[in-house]
Amino acid sequence: QVQLVESGGGSVQAGGSLRLSCAASGLTLSSKCMGWFRQAPGKEREGVAAIDTGGVITYYADSVKGRFTISRDNAKNTVYLQMNSLKPEDTAMYYCAARTWGCSDGGGLSGPRNFGYWGQGTQVSVSS
């Protein structure tokens, strides 16, 4: 059974940092394009960041470029999202996602339909 489990969410003040983790079981992440999406109340789920299988090529939404960093540790079967300089508009449920093909289409950030495996999410709340 495939499971993606996110952790690391929480409540921080604007300007603060959080590091999200996504640990996988039943699925080897080393051959998967991995992504992070987020969904705020009343809004659609949007792509935040993605990383290719080798961890070399990364993709980011314009809204998080320069503040968020996605990385992966294939030996630990884990993907991370380091979030710095957080803003209130970053408040959302953050989801880890995986798919069985590569990231060449801009990391698949154009929509959640591009990914087949999802975690349950971890809440990030940023206060002003």
Short mmCIF file of all heavy atoms in Angstrom, two decimals, residues 59-126:
data_model
loop_
_atom_site.label_atom_id
_atom_site.label_comp_id
_atom_site.label_asym_id
_atom_site.label_seq_id
_atom_site.Cartn_x
_atom_site.Cartn_y
_atom_site.Cartn_z
N TYR A 59 11.44 23.07 -9.78
CA TYR A 59 10.45 23.95 -10.36
C TYR A 59 9.69 24.63 -9.22
O TYR A 59 9.42 23.99 -8.19
CB TYR A 59 9.46 23.16 -11.23
CG TYR A 59 10.10 22.27 -12.25
CD1 TYR A 59 10.55 21.00 -11.92
CD2 TYR A 59 10.25 22.70 -13.57
CE1 TYR A 59 11.14 20.17 -12.86
CE2 TYR A 59 10.83 21.87 -14.52
CZ TYR A 59 11.28 20.62 -14.16
OH TYR A 59 11.86 19.81 -15.10
N TYR A 60 9.35 25.88 -9.42
CA TYR A 60 8.66 26.62 -8.37
C TYR A 60 7.56 27.50 -8.96
O TYR A 60 7.69 28.04 -10.06
CB TYR A 60 9.63 27.52 -7.61
CG TYR A 60 10.70 26.76 -6.86
CD1 TYR A 60 11.96 26.56 -7.41
CD2 TYR A 60 10.43 26.24 -5.60
CE1 TYR A 60 12.94 25.85 -6.73
CE2 TYR A 60 11.40 25.53 -4.90
CZ TYR A 60 12.66 25.33 -5.48
OH TYR A 60 13.62 24.63 -4.80
N ALA A 61 6.51 27.66 -8.19
CA ALA A 61 5.51 28.67 -8.53
C ALA A 61 6.14 30.05 -8.31
O ALA A 61 6.98 30.22 -7.42
CB ALA A 61 4.29 28.50 -7.63
N ASP A 62 5.72 31.01 -9.11
CA ASP A 62 6.29 32.35 -8.99
C ASP A 62 6.13 32.92 -7.59
O ASP A 62 6.97 33.67 -7.10
CB ASP A 62 5.64 33.29 -10.00
CG ASP A 62 6.07 33.00 -11.43
OD1 ASP A 62 7.10 32.32 -11.62
OD2 ASP A 62 5.37 33.45 -12.36
N SER A 63 5.05 32.56 -6.95
CA SER A 63 4.74 33.13 -5.63
C SER A 63 5.70 32.69 -4.53
O SER A 63 5.75 33.31 -3.47
CB SER A 63 3.30 32.76 -5.23
OG SER A 63 3.14 31.35 -5.21
N VAL A 64 6.46 31.61 -4.79
CA VAL A 64 7.35 31.11 -3.74
C VAL A 64 8.82 31.12 -4.14
O VAL A 64 9.69 30.79 -3.33
CB VAL A 64 6.96 29.69 -3.29
CG1 VAL A 64 5.50 29.64 -2.88
CG2 VAL A 64 7.26 28.66 -4.38
N LYS A 65 9.10 31.51 -5.37
CA LYS A 65 10.49 31.53 -5.83
C LYS A 65 11.35 32.42 -4.95
O LYS A 65 10.95 33.54 -4.59
CB LYS A 65 10.55 32.03 -7.28
CG LYS A 65 10.24 30.99 -8.32
CD LYS A 65 10.34 31.56 -9.72
CE LYS A 65 9.96 30.52 -10.76
NZ LYS A 65 9.97 31.08 -12.13
N GLY A 66 12.51 31.91 -4.60
CA GLY A 66 13.42 32.66 -3.75
C GLY A 66 13.15 32.50 -2.27
O GLY A 66 13.96 32.93 -1.44
N ARG A 67 12.01 31.91 -1.92
CA ARG A 67 11.67 31.72 -0.50
C ARG A 67 11.58 30.25 -0.12
O ARG A 67 11.92 29.88 1.00
CB ARG A 67 10.33 32.39 -0.19
CG ARG A 67 10.31 33.88 -0.46
CD ARG A 67 9.02 34.52 0.05
NE ARG A 67 7.83 33.99 -0.61
CZ ARG A 67 6.83 33.41 0.03
NH1 ARG A 67 6.87 33.28 1.35
NH2 ARG A 67 5.77 32.99 -0.64
N PHE A 68 11.13 29.41 -1.03
CA PHE A 68 10.96 27.98 -0.77
C PHE A 68 12.02 27.20 -1.53
O PHE A 68 12.43 27.56 -2.63
CB PHE A 68 9.59 27.50 -1.24
CG PHE A 68 8.42 28.00 -0.43
CD1 PHE A 68 8.55 29.01 0.50
CD2 PHE A 68 7.16 27.44 -0.61
CE1 PHE A 68 7.47 29.47 1.25
CE2 PHE A 68 6.07 27.88 0.12
CZ PHE A 68 6.22 28.90 1.04
N THR A 69 12.43 26.08 -0.92
CA THR A 69 13.39 25.19 -1.56
C THR A 69 12.93 23.75 -1.39
O THR A 69 12.70 23.29 -0.27
CB THR A 69 14.79 25.34 -0.94
OG1 THR A 69 15.23 26.70 -1.05
CG2 THR A 69 15.79 24.44 -1.67
N ILE A 70 12.81 23.07 -2.51
CA ILE A 70 12.44 21.65 -2.48
C ILE A 70 13.71 20.82 -2.63
O ILE A 70 14.63 21.19 -3.36
CB ILE A 70 11.42 21.30 -3.58
CG1 ILE A 70 10.91 19.87 -3.42
CG2 ILE A 70 11.99 21.55 -4.98
CD1 ILE A 70 9.73 19.54 -4.36
N SER A 71 13.77 19.73 -1.90
CA SER A 71 14.93 18.84 -1.98
C SER A 71 14.46 17.42 -1.71
O SER A 71 13.33 17.19 -1.29
CB SER A 71 16.01 19.25 -0.97
OG SER A 71 15.51 19.16 0.36
N ARG A 72 15.34 16.48 -1.95
CA ARG A 72 14.97 15.08 -1.73
C ARG A 72 16.18 14.30 -1.24
O ARG A 72 17.31 14.62 -1.58
CB ARG A 72 14.39 14.47 -3.00
CG ARG A 72 15.38 14.33 -4.16
CD ARG A 72 14.65 13.98 -5.45
NE ARG A 72 13.88 12.75 -5.34
CZ ARG A 72 12.87 12.43 -6.14
NH1 ARG A 72 12.49 13.25 -7.10
NH2 ARG A 72 12.24 11.29 -6.00
N ASP A 73 15.90 13.28 -0.45
CA ASP A 73 16.91 12.33 0.00
C ASP A 73 16.40 10.96 -0.40
O ASP A 73 15.58 10.36 0.31
CB ASP A 73 17.10 12.44 1.51
CG ASP A 73 18.25 11.59 2.02
OD1 ASP A 73 18.60 10.59 1.35
OD2 ASP A 73 18.78 11.90 3.08
N ASN A 74 16.85 10.49 -1.53
CA ASN A 74 16.34 9.22 -2.04
C ASN A 74 16.71 8.05 -1.13
O ASN A 74 15.96 7.07 -1.05
CB ASN A 74 16.84 8.97 -3.45
CG ASN A 74 16.18 9.88 -4.48
OD1 ASN A 74 15.08 10.39 -4.25
ND2 ASN A 74 16.86 10.11 -5.59
N ALA A 75 17.82 8.17 -0.43
CA ALA A 75 18.21 7.09 0.49
C ALA A 75 17.20 6.97 1.63
O ALA A 75 16.98 5.87 2.17
CB ALA A 75 19.60 7.35 1.03
N LYS A 76 16.60 8.08 2.02
CA LYS A 76 15.61 8.08 3.09
C LYS A 76 14.18 8.03 2.54
O LYS A 76 13.23 8.06 3.32
CB LYS A 76 15.78 9.31 3.97
CG LYS A 76 17.09 9.35 4.74
CD LYS A 76 17.17 10.58 5.64
CE LYS A 76 18.46 10.56 6.45
NZ LYS A 76 18.56 11.76 7.34
N ASN A 77 14.07 8.02 1.20
CA ASN A 77 12.74 7.98 0.60
C ASN A 77 11.88 9.15 1.08
O ASN A 77 10.69 8.99 1.40
CB ASN A 77 12.04 6.66 0.89
CG ASN A 77 11.33 6.10 -0.32
OD1 ASN A 77 11.72 6.34 -1.46
ND2 ASN A 77 10.27 5.34 -0.08
N THR A 78 12.49 10.32 1.13
CA THR A 78 11.84 11.50 1.71
C THR A 78 12.09 12.73 0.85
O THR A 78 13.18 12.89 0.28
CB THR A 78 12.37 11.75 3.14
OG1 THR A 78 12.11 10.59 3.94
CG2 THR A 78 11.68 12.95 3.78
N VAL A 79 11.09 13.57 0.78
CA VAL A 79 11.18 14.85 0.08
C VAL A 79 10.89 15.96 1.09
O VAL A 79 10.07 15.77 2.00
CB VAL A 79 10.17 14.91 -1.08
CG1 VAL A 79 10.19 16.26 -1.75
CG2 VAL A 79 10.48 13.83 -2.09
N TYR A 80 11.55 17.09 0.91
CA TYR A 80 11.43 18.19 1.86
C TYR A 80 10.99 19.46 1.14
O TYR A 80 11.22 19.63 -0.06
CB TYR A 80 12.78 18.45 2.54
CG TYR A 80 13.37 17.24 3.21
CD1 TYR A 80 14.31 16.45 2.55
CD2 TYR A 80 12.99 16.87 4.49
CE1 TYR A 80 14.87 15.34 3.15
CE2 TYR A 80 13.54 15.76 5.11
CZ TYR A 80 14.47 14.99 4.42
OH TYR A 80 15.02 13.88 5.02
N LEU A 81 10.41 20.35 1.92
CA LEU A 81 10.11 21.70 1.44
C LEU A 81 10.52 22.67 2.53
O LEU A 81 9.86 22.74 3.57
CB LEU A 81 8.64 21.87 1.10
CG LEU A 81 8.28 23.22 0.48
CD1 LEU A 81 8.90 23.34 -0.93
CD2 LEU A 81 6.76 23.39 0.38
N GLN A 82 11.62 23.38 2.30
CA GLN A 82 12.07 24.40 3.23
C GLN A 82 11.38 25.71 2.86
O GLN A 82 11.50 26.17 1.73
CB GLN A 82 13.59 24.57 3.15
CG GLN A 82 14.14 25.67 4.03
CD GLN A 82 14.01 25.36 5.51
OE1 GLN A 82 14.27 24.23 5.94
NE2 GLN A 82 13.59 26.35 6.30
N MET A 83 10.68 26.28 3.81
CA MET A 83 9.91 27.49 3.55
C MET A 83 10.44 28.61 4.44
O MET A 83 10.37 28.52 5.66
CB MET A 83 8.43 27.25 3.84
CG MET A 83 7.86 26.06 3.07
SD MET A 83 6.08 25.88 3.27
CE MET A 83 5.98 25.53 5.02
N ASN A 84 10.99 29.62 3.82
CA ASN A 84 11.52 30.78 4.54
C ASN A 84 10.72 32.02 4.20
O ASN A 84 9.98 32.05 3.22
CB ASN A 84 12.99 30.99 4.16
CG ASN A 84 13.88 29.82 4.54
OD1 ASN A 84 13.63 29.13 5.53
ND2 ASN A 84 14.92 29.60 3.75
N SER A 85 10.91 33.06 5.00
CA SER A 85 10.23 34.33 4.77
C SER A 85 8.74 34.13 4.53
O SER A 85 8.16 34.68 3.58
CB SER A 85 10.85 35.07 3.58
OG SER A 85 12.24 35.28 3.80
N LEU A 86 8.13 33.35 5.37
CA LEU A 86 6.73 33.01 5.19
C LEU A 86 5.84 34.24 5.31
O LEU A 86 6.11 35.17 6.08
CB LEU A 86 6.31 31.95 6.21
CG LEU A 86 6.77 30.53 5.85
CD1 LEU A 86 6.73 29.63 7.07
CD2 LEU A 86 5.92 29.97 4.73
N LYS A 87 4.76 34.21 4.52
CA LYS A 87 3.80 35.30 4.48
C LYS A 87 2.42 34.77 4.87
O LYS A 87 2.16 33.58 4.71
CB LYS A 87 3.74 35.89 3.07
CG LYS A 87 5.07 36.36 2.52
CD LYS A 87 4.91 36.82 1.07
CE LYS A 87 6.24 37.28 0.49
NZ LYS A 87 6.09 37.73 -0.92
N PRO A 88 1.54 35.63 5.33
CA PRO A 88 0.18 35.17 5.66
C PRO A 88 -0.50 34.47 4.48
O PRO A 88 -1.26 33.52 4.69
CB PRO A 88 -0.54 36.46 6.04
CG PRO A 88 0.54 37.33 6.60
CD PRO A 88 1.75 37.02 5.74
N GLU A 89 -0.20 34.90 3.27
CA GLU A 89 -0.82 34.27 2.10
C GLU A 89 -0.28 32.87 1.81
O GLU A 89 -0.80 32.18 0.93
CB GLU A 89 -0.66 35.16 0.86
CG GLU A 89 0.75 35.62 0.58
CD GLU A 89 1.00 37.03 1.12
OE1 GLU A 89 0.60 37.32 2.28
OE2 GLU A 89 1.64 37.82 0.40
N ASP A 90 0.73 32.44 2.54
CA ASP A 90 1.20 31.06 2.43
C ASP A 90 0.38 30.10 3.27
O ASP A 90 0.58 28.88 3.20
CB ASP A 90 2.67 30.97 2.86
CG ASP A 90 3.61 31.72 1.95
OD1 ASP A 90 3.43 31.66 0.72
OD2 ASP A 90 4.55 32.37 2.47
N THR A 91 -0.53 30.63 4.06
CA THR A 91 -1.38 29.80 4.90
C THR A 91 -2.23 28.86 4.04
O THR A 91 -2.95 29.30 3.15
CB THR A 91 -2.30 30.67 5.77
OG1 THR A 91 -1.49 31.43 6.68
CG2 THR A 91 -3.28 29.82 6.55
N ALA A 92 -2.11 27.56 4.30
CA ALA A 92 -2.82 26.56 3.51
C ALA A 92 -2.52 25.17 4.06
O ALA A 92 -1.63 25.01 4.90
CB ALA A 92 -2.39 26.63 2.04
N MET A 93 -3.25 24.20 3.55
CA MET A 93 -2.89 22.80 3.76
C MET A 93 -1.90 22.44 2.67
O MET A 93 -2.17 22.71 1.48
CB MET A 93 -4.12 21.91 3.69
CG MET A 93 -3.85 20.46 4.02
SD MET A 93 -3.56 20.22 5.79
CE MET A 93 -5.25 20.29 6.38
N TYR A 94 -0.78 21.88 3.06
CA TYR A 94 0.27 21.51 2.12
C TYR A 94 0.28 20.00 1.90
O TYR A 94 0.28 19.22 2.85
CB TYR A 94 1.63 21.98 2.61
CG TYR A 94 1.84 23.47 2.40
CD1 TYR A 94 1.13 24.40 3.16
CD2 TYR A 94 2.71 23.94 1.42
CE1 TYR A 94 1.31 25.76 2.95
CE2 TYR A 94 2.88 25.30 1.21
CZ TYR A 94 2.17 26.21 1.98
OH TYR A 94 2.35 27.56 1.77
N TYR A 95 0.30 19.62 0.62
CA TYR A 95 0.23 18.22 0.24
C TYR A 95 1.46 17.80 -0.54
O TYR A 95 1.93 18.53 -1.42
CB TYR A 95 -0.99 17.95 -0.63
CG TYR A 95 -2.31 18.23 0.03
CD1 TYR A 95 -2.90 19.48 -0.06
CD2 TYR A 95 -2.98 17.22 0.73
CE1 TYR A 95 -4.13 19.74 0.54
CE2 TYR A 95 -4.21 17.48 1.33
CZ TYR A 95 -4.77 18.73 1.23
OH TYR A 95 -5.98 18.98 1.83
N CYS A 96 1.94 16.62 -0.24
CA CYS A 96 3.02 15.99 -0.99
C CYS A 96 2.37 15.13 -2.08
O CYS A 96 1.33 14.51 -1.86
CB CYS A 96 3.83 15.13 -0.03
SG CYS A 96 5.10 14.13 -0.79
N ALA A 97 3.01 15.09 -3.25
CA ALA A 97 2.46 14.32 -4.36
C ALA A 97 3.58 13.63 -5.13
O ALA A 97 4.69 14.15 -5.21
CB ALA A 97 1.67 15.23 -5.29
N ALA A 98 3.24 12.49 -5.72
CA ALA A 98 4.22 11.73 -6.50
C ALA A 98 3.56 11.23 -7.78
O ALA A 98 2.34 11.05 -7.84
CB ALA A 98 4.74 10.54 -5.68
N ARG A 99 4.38 11.01 -8.78
CA ARG A 99 3.86 10.41 -10.00
C ARG A 99 4.95 9.54 -10.59
O ARG A 99 6.12 9.67 -10.28
CB ARG A 99 3.40 11.47 -10.99
CG ARG A 99 4.51 12.34 -11.56
CD ARG A 99 3.91 13.42 -12.42
NE ARG A 99 4.91 14.11 -13.24
CZ ARG A 99 4.63 15.15 -14.00
NH1 ARG A 99 3.39 15.63 -14.06
NH2 ARG A 99 5.58 15.70 -14.72
N THR A 100 4.55 8.66 -11.49
CA THR A 100 5.46 7.64 -11.98
C THR A 100 6.21 8.03 -13.25
O THR A 100 6.89 7.21 -13.84
CB THR A 100 4.70 6.33 -12.23
OG1 THR A 100 3.64 6.59 -13.15
CG2 THR A 100 4.12 5.79 -10.94
N TRP A 101 6.07 9.27 -13.68
CA TRP A 101 6.85 9.72 -14.84
C TRP A 101 7.61 10.99 -14.47
O TRP A 101 7.56 11.47 -13.35
CB TRP A 101 5.95 9.92 -16.05
CG TRP A 101 4.88 10.95 -15.93
CD1 TRP A 101 4.93 12.24 -16.36
CD2 TRP A 101 3.57 10.77 -15.35
NE1 TRP A 101 3.75 12.87 -16.08
CE2 TRP A 101 2.89 12.01 -15.47
CE3 TRP A 101 2.91 9.70 -14.76
CZ2 TRP A 101 1.59 12.19 -15.01
CZ3 TRP A 101 1.61 9.88 -14.29
CH2 TRP A 101 0.97 11.12 -14.42
N GLY A 102 8.37 11.49 -15.42
CA GLY A 102 9.29 12.57 -15.12
C GLY A 102 8.67 13.93 -14.93
O GLY A 102 7.45 14.09 -14.96
N CYS A 103 9.53 14.92 -14.74
CA CYS A 103 9.11 16.27 -14.43
C CYS A 103 9.21 17.23 -15.60
O CYS A 103 9.12 18.44 -15.41
CB CYS A 103 9.98 16.84 -13.31
SG CYS A 103 9.55 16.32 -11.63
N SER A 104 9.40 16.73 -16.81
CA SER A 104 9.75 17.61 -17.92
C SER A 104 8.67 18.63 -18.27
O SER A 104 8.94 19.62 -18.94
CB SER A 104 10.09 16.78 -19.16
OG SER A 104 8.98 15.97 -19.51
N ASP A 105 7.46 18.43 -17.83
CA ASP A 105 6.37 19.37 -18.13
C ASP A 105 6.27 20.45 -17.06
O ASP A 105 5.19 20.70 -16.52
CB ASP A 105 5.05 18.63 -18.25
CG ASP A 105 4.68 17.88 -16.98
OD1 ASP A 105 5.58 17.63 -16.14
OD2 ASP A 105 3.48 17.58 -16.79
N GLY A 106 7.37 21.06 -16.75
CA GLY A 106 7.37 22.11 -15.74
C GLY A 106 7.11 21.59 -14.34
O GLY A 106 6.59 22.31 -13.48
N GLY A 107 7.44 20.31 -14.15
CA GLY A 107 7.24 19.73 -12.84
C GLY A 107 5.81 19.36 -12.52
O GLY A 107 5.49 18.95 -11.41
N GLY A 108 4.93 19.48 -13.52
CA GLY A 108 3.54 19.11 -13.29
C GLY A 108 2.79 20.06 -12.38
O GLY A 108 1.72 19.71 -11.86
N LEU A 109 3.33 21.26 -12.19
CA LEU A 109 2.72 22.18 -11.23
C LEU A 109 1.45 22.84 -11.75
O LEU A 109 0.78 23.57 -11.01
CB LEU A 109 3.73 23.25 -10.82
CG LEU A 109 4.97 22.74 -10.08
CD1 LEU A 109 5.87 23.90 -9.70
CD2 LEU A 109 4.58 21.93 -8.85
N SER A 110 1.11 22.60 -13.00
CA SER A 110 -0.06 23.27 -13.55
C SER A 110 -1.36 22.77 -12.96
O SER A 110 -2.40 23.44 -13.06
CB SER A 110 -0.09 23.09 -15.07
OG SER A 110 -0.15 21.71 -15.41
N GLY A 111 -1.33 21.60 -12.34
CA GLY A 111 -2.57 21.14 -11.74
C GLY A 111 -2.42 19.81 -11.03
O GLY A 111 -1.56 19.01 -11.39
N PRO A 112 -3.23 19.57 -10.01
CA PRO A 112 -3.13 18.33 -9.24
C PRO A 112 -3.42 17.08 -10.06
O PRO A 112 -3.00 15.99 -9.68
CB PRO A 112 -4.16 18.51 -8.13
CG PRO A 112 -5.09 19.57 -8.61
CD PRO A 112 -4.28 20.46 -9.47
N ARG A 113 -4.10 17.21 -11.19
CA ARG A 113 -4.39 16.03 -12.01
C ARG A 113 -3.12 15.38 -12.54
O ARG A 113 -3.15 14.25 -13.01
CB ARG A 113 -5.28 16.43 -13.18
CG ARG A 113 -4.54 17.14 -14.29
CD ARG A 113 -5.43 17.37 -15.53
NE ARG A 113 -6.17 18.61 -15.45
CZ ARG A 113 -7.03 19.02 -16.39
NH1 ARG A 113 -7.29 18.26 -17.41
NH2 ARG A 113 -7.65 20.17 -16.27
N ASN A 114 -2.01 16.11 -12.49
CA ASN A 114 -0.75 15.60 -13.00
C ASN A 114 -0.06 14.61 -12.08
O ASN A 114 0.96 14.04 -12.43
CB ASN A 114 0.21 16.75 -13.28
CG ASN A 114 -0.30 17.66 -14.38
OD1 ASN A 114 -0.82 17.19 -15.39
ND2 ASN A 114 -0.17 18.96 -14.19
N PHE A 115 -0.63 14.43 -10.89
CA PHE A 115 -0.02 13.53 -9.91
C PHE A 115 -1.02 12.47 -9.47
O PHE A 115 -2.20 12.76 -9.30
CB PHE A 115 0.49 14.32 -8.70
CG PHE A 115 1.73 15.11 -8.99
CD1 PHE A 115 1.65 16.33 -9.64
CD2 PHE A 115 2.98 14.63 -8.64
CE1 PHE A 115 2.80 17.05 -9.93
CE2 PHE A 115 4.12 15.35 -8.91
CZ PHE A 115 4.04 16.56 -9.56
N GLY A 116 -0.51 11.26 -9.26
CA GLY A 116 -1.40 10.16 -8.93
C GLY A 116 -1.40 9.73 -7.48
O GLY A 116 -2.33 9.07 -7.02
N TYR A 117 -0.36 10.10 -6.75
CA TYR A 117 -0.25 9.71 -5.34
C TYR A 117 -0.22 10.96 -4.48
O TYR A 117 0.51 11.91 -4.79
CB TYR A 117 1.01 8.89 -5.09
CG TYR A 117 1.09 7.62 -5.89
CD1 TYR A 117 1.85 7.56 -7.05
CD2 TYR A 117 0.40 6.48 -5.48
CE1 TYR A 117 1.93 6.39 -7.78
CE2 TYR A 117 0.48 5.31 -6.22
CZ TYR A 117 1.24 5.27 -7.36
OH TYR A 117 1.31 4.11 -8.08
N TRP A 118 -0.97 10.92 -3.38
CA TRP A 118 -1.10 12.09 -2.52
C TRP A 118 -1.02 11.71 -1.05
O TRP A 118 -1.47 10.63 -0.66
CB TRP A 118 -2.45 12.77 -2.76
CG TRP A 118 -2.54 13.41 -4.10
CD1 TRP A 118 -2.96 12.83 -5.26
CD2 TRP A 118 -2.17 14.75 -4.44
NE1 TRP A 118 -2.88 13.73 -6.30
CE2 TRP A 118 -2.39 14.91 -5.82
CE3 TRP A 118 -1.67 15.82 -3.71
CZ2 TRP A 118 -2.15 16.11 -6.48
CZ3 TRP A 118 -1.41 17.01 -4.36
CH2 TRP A 118 -1.65 17.15 -5.73
N GLY A 119 -0.46 12.63 -0.26
CA GLY A 119 -0.51 12.49 1.18
C GLY A 119 -1.77 13.13 1.73
O GLY A 119 -2.58 13.67 0.98
N GLN A 120 -1.90 13.09 3.04
CA GLN A 120 -3.09 13.62 3.71
C GLN A 120 -2.98 15.12 3.98
O GLN A 120 -3.99 15.76 4.28
CB GLN A 120 -3.34 12.88 5.01
CG GLN A 120 -3.72 11.41 4.80
CD GLN A 120 -5.00 11.28 4.00
OE1 GLN A 120 -6.02 11.86 4.33
NE2 GLN A 120 -4.94 10.52 2.91
N GLY A 121 -1.77 15.64 3.90
CA GLY A 121 -1.59 17.07 4.09
C GLY A 121 -1.12 17.45 5.48
O GLY A 121 -1.35 16.72 6.45
N THR A 122 -0.47 18.60 5.56
CA THR A 122 -0.06 19.18 6.83
C THR A 122 -0.36 20.67 6.79
O THR A 122 -0.11 21.34 5.79
CB THR A 122 1.44 18.91 7.10
OG1 THR A 122 1.80 19.39 8.39
CG2 THR A 122 2.34 19.56 6.05
N GLN A 123 -0.94 21.17 7.86
CA GLN A 123 -1.41 22.56 7.88
C GLN A 123 -0.28 23.53 8.20
O GLN A 123 0.50 23.32 9.14
CB GLN A 123 -2.51 22.71 8.92
CG GLN A 123 -3.06 24.13 9.05
CD GLN A 123 -3.82 24.59 7.82
OE1 GLN A 123 -4.55 23.81 7.20
NE2 GLN A 123 -3.65 25.85 7.45
N VAL A 124 -0.23 24.59 7.42
CA VAL A 124 0.71 25.69 7.67
C VAL A 124 -0.11 26.96 7.87
O VAL A 124 -0.93 27.31 7.01
CB VAL A 124 1.69 25.87 6.49
CG1 VAL A 124 2.51 27.14 6.66
CG2 VAL A 124 2.60 24.65 6.38
N SER A 125 0.10 27.63 8.98
CA SER A 125 -0.61 28.86 9.28
C SER A 125 0.40 29.96 9.59
O SER A 125 1.26 29.78 10.45
CB SER A 125 -1.56 28.67 10.47
OG SER A 125 -2.53 27.69 10.19
N VAL A 126 0.29 31.06 8.88
CA VAL A 126 1.22 32.18 9.05
C VAL A 126 0.43 33.40 9.48
O VAL A 126 -0.48 33.84 8.78
CB VAL A 126 1.99 32.47 7.76
CG1 VAL A 126 3.03 33.55 8.00
CG2 VAL A 126 2.64 31.20 7.22
#
